[in-house]
Structure formats: C-alpha cells, structure tokens
Amino acid sequence: MSEALAYPIDLHTHSLRSDGALAPAELVRRAAARGVRIQALSDHDTLLGVAEAIAEGERLGVRIVPATELNTESEWGDVHILGYFLDPADTALEERLKWLRDNRGRRIELMVERLATIGFPVSLERVLEIAQGGALGRPHLAQALFEAGFVPTYDDAFRTLIGKDSPAYVARVGLTPHEAVRLVRDHGGVPSLAHPGTAVELEAVLPQLVDAGLAGIECYYASHPADAAVRYLGLALRYGLVATGGSDFHGRGEHGAPLGGLWMPHDTVDLLEARRTRTGTTSSTPYFEPVKGRS
Ligand code: AMP
Ligand code: FE
Ligand code: FE
Ligand code: ZN
C-alpha cells in the first residue's frame, strides 16, 4: 500500500474483527503512517476491536472513535447505519450485536450450502479460517471463492456469485434501518447513514430515519460520483445532519478507498459529538460535553 500522505480524519474503517484484512492495531499503524489523526474503527456488528485500536492510537497519537456499522434488511436497499461513540463495555448493546453476528454466521452457512448446490463448493472451515474469528461476512466467502479458483478476482465473486442479484445470495436476518438508528440512539451513540448512494429511494427513507434519531449522512465517500456528494450535502443541510465521511477501507479487493483517502471538514467529529444525548445510554463511560469554542 502507498505511504502517500492522507487526509487527517477517517470515520469509516474495518479490521479483521469484521470483514477487514488487518488487525485493529495494524490498521491504526497504517493510518497513522499516512497522517491520519482521528480514526473511527467501524467494524460490522462489533466493538470488539476498539480497545486494541485505542491502545495503539494512544501510542501513535491517533484519536480512535469507537463505532460500528449495522447493515440492515428492508425494501430500501443497502441501508448501512454507522453508530459513533458507542461503549464497548455496554453489555446490553454487546448482547444485541452478538445476536447480529450469530445471524451473520447462519447466513454465510446458507450461502456456502447454496454455492455447493450450484457447483461452487467451498468449505465452511476455510471461510471461518479466513475470518479469523471476525464477524462473518460475504468478503470472507469472496476470498474463499477466489482462493478455490472459482472467480478470477475477489471482486468478481460479488459480481457473479454472491452479490445481491446473484444466484448464491441469501438475505440477512437482522435490523430494519429504523431499528438500527434506534439501537444506536438507545445506547447513547450517534447514528450516521453510510454511503447513501446504496439506499433505494433515499429521499423517502431519509426523513423517516431523521425522525428515528439519525444525526449524520456520509457525504464524503470514494465511490460517490462528484455530483452525488453535492446532493448529499444538500440533504444534510435540509435535515440538519452532520456531513460525515470515510474510506470504508477493508484492505481487500478494489472495495473502499485508501486509509484517510477522503477530505472532510476538520470539525466533523466535534459536530458529531455535539449530537450525543444523555438519555437512553446504559454506558458506563461518562458523558463528555462537546468541546466549546474550538473550530
Ligand atoms: P455482508 O455484510 O456479509 O452482506 O457483506 C457486505 C460487505 O461486503 C460490505 O461491507 C463490503 O465489505 C463487501 N462488499 C459489498 N459489495 C461489494 C462489492 N461489490 N465488491 C467488493 N466488496 C463488496
Ligand atoms: Fe464490509
Ligand atoms: Fe457499508
Ligand atoms: Zn463499511
């Protein structure tokens, strides 16, 4: 990976605690080497990598924002909710996240079965090995399919076998977008809509999510066309949402941008933090007043 300098904030990254390729500490080291100073670790359905990331961040001068990304199932397409400032020590939250991770495991088992039926047998054991204990996801399956020689590249697995309209795709059992926003809010976090370009009928679903407590929208995202970012900034203004951004770095295939690959305003994290509320949190972490007078 290139050591070229990056932008200082990255609010969307994945480690091997979910479907990224790098351990949390290694991910933070790579980000720090590129000049990232504030990084959210936003693994799917887990906060289990956060402590390791914070420890490495303290060593290297990178502020780690604890986060998770909740993929949802509904008529609205791929609605993914990023939850910021959640507490890894919140046991009630961990129980819900564990349920989501268990569902992920069952879904991947079903996809492995379906792949075998249509002539692409990969072993569940190998998929689990690739995942190294992380929250299971299609990226692990994609890598197993690539290794087995069934697809020419990792990304082709999504294009031909396990993407949404592909033959081995199985829908997930989990949260609706509304439930994901509520889950984050009920545990004292700040929800932002990830890569809004993957939602269907965004302008219809967005006001509903705002009513549920949505506080941000990921306007700065690599695979958005330039004019889309302007549209999302307009929606952020209209609904009073914080414009967030991030690389969605996984360290696998072409998906995502390099760490710190996206520009966003320098006060983005202060604005997000100001959207925390006291109510509903079961957190053992004290509530921090947003820093005033800093720009
Ligand atoms: P899952 O959570 O199991 O449904 O898998 C979704 C994950 O797969 C996303 O978080 C990405 O990491 C990855 N992904 C989704 N679509 C693609 C794609 N077209 N190419 C590569 N990776 C993808
Ligand atoms: Fe992912
Ligand atoms: Fe996502
Ligand atoms: Zn992501």
Side-chain angles (χ1 to χ4, degrees):
M1 174 189 221
S2 147
E3 291 301 315
L5 286 184
Y7 293 106
I9 310 174
D10 193 334
L11 298 181
H12 190 159
T13 69
H14 296 273
S15 78
L16 53 69
R17 290 300 185 152
S18 64
D19 55 10
L22 303 175
E26 177 62 17
L27 185 69
V28 175
R29 279 196 289 279
R30 300 265 187 111
R34 287 171 50 79
V36 172
R37 288 291 164 264
I38 305 179
Q39 177 186 358
L41 180 66
S42 56
D43 276 317
H44 301 282
D45 302 337
T46 188
L47 293 161
L48 291 174
V50 167
E52 180 184 324
I54 288 177
E56 193 65 7
E58 280 173 356
R59 212 172 66 76
L60 297 170
V62 180
R63 176 183 174 192
I64 301 297
V65 176
T68 186
E69 181 178 16
L70 305 169
N71 296 9
T72 67
E73 196 60 46
S74 74
E75 78 219 71
W76 308 106
D78 268 311
V79 175
H80 297 181
I81 302 296
L82 290 156
Y84 294 109
F85 303 111
L86 291 165
D87 180 2
D90 179 339
T91 50
L93 175 60
E94 169 54 18
E95 212 171 285
R96 294 290 284 153
L97 295 177
K98 171 81 167 47
W99 175 74
L100 288 168
R101 296 197 298 272
D102 289 347
N103 288 346
R104 283 178 165 274
R106 279 193 290 279
R107 175 178 180 231
I108 293 301
E109 280 173 34
L110 288 172
M111 291 184 70
V112 165
E113 283 170 23
R114 197 167 286 192
L115 281 164
T117 313
I118 62 173
F120 300 93
V122 290
S123 85
L124 184 61
E125 288 66 38
R126 182 60 198 143
V127 177
L128 293 170
E129 254 171 47
I130 290 168
Q132 297 179 68
L136 273 181
R138 285 180 289 156
H140 305 125
L141 204 46
Q143 191 158 325
L145 286 161
F146 170 64
E147 277 179 14
F150 290 134
V151 283
T153 69
Y154 165 88
D155 294 271
D156 275 305
F158 285 90
R159 283 192 268 273
T160 57
L161 288 171
I162 61 172
K164 205 150 206 167
D165 299 310
S166 308
Y169 183 81
V170 174
R172 63 172 68 76
V173 175
L175 305 171
T176 64
H178 184 276
E179 287 168 340
V181 169
R182 283 314 318 163
L183 182 65
V184 172
R185 276 298 188 193
D186 287 348
H187 290 270
V190 180
S192 181
L193 175 64
H195 43 72
T198 61
V200 169
E201 291 187 65
L202 176 63
E203 313 226 350
V205 70
L206 196 59
Q208 298 181 28
L209 298 183
V210 170
D211 285 345
L214 190 74
I217 179 167
E218 195 173 50
C219 297
Y220 308 102
Y221 190 81
S223 63
H224 286 162
D227 58 337
V230 173
R231 183 177 149 230
Y232 302 139
L233 285 167
L235 291 172
L237 271 178
R238 180 169 356 141
Y239 292 106
L241 298 169
V242 180
T244 66
S247 64
D248 207 358
F249 179 84
H250 284 73
R252 294 180 197 275
E254 303 155 16
H255 190 72
L259 288 162
L262 276 292
W263 177 88
M264 75 199 81
H266 59 100
D267 59 352
T268 303
V269 175
D270 289 343
L271 293 173
L272 265 185
E273 202 161 13
R275 302 295 287 266
R276 293 181 81 172
T277 53
R278 271 168 220 270
T279 49
T281 179
T282 53
S283 165
S284 58
T285 309
Y287 174 84
F288 298 104
E289 285 296 338
V291 181
K292 300 248 166 54
R294 247 170 68 192
S295 56

